[in-house]
Amino acid sequence: MWAVRWNNPTLHTPERRKVWLACDSHRETLWEFLSLRGFARDVVPVDQLEPTDG
């Protein structure tokens, strides 16, 4: 399981991260969706999420 971290720069401060979870099969599709909008920030394994994420 993957945590795709993103933010909308028009709504969120630069350090803010929203988190969407994705399985191996959908991680790339979700990343592409967010990247096209300029929202994608990074992808980490779920077990590496910080308590302040999301």
Side-chain angles (χ1 to χ4, degrees), residues 7 9 12-17 41:
N7 75 359
H12 305 121
T13 59
E15 65 278 351
R16 173 85 188 268
R17 294 292 180 268
R41 299 298 172 247

Side-chain angles (χ1 to χ4, degrees), residues 3-50:
V4 179
R5 298 191 299 186
W6 64 279
N7 75 359
N8 179 338
T10 61
L11 300 176
H12 305 121
T13 59
E15 65 278 351
R16 173 85 188 268
R17 294 292 180 268
K18 304 290 280 180
V19 177
W20 285 349
L21 301 180
C23 63
D24 289 335
S25 301
H26 293 98
R27 180 178 65 125
E28 189 63 33
T29 304
L30 183 54
W31 180 259
E32 289 174 11
F33 173 83
L34 292 167
S35 292
L36 286 171
R37 288 152 181 82
F39 296 172
R41 299 298 172 247
D42 61 1
V43 177
V44 297
V46 168
D47 62 356
Q48 291 182 16
L49 281 175
E50 297 295 324

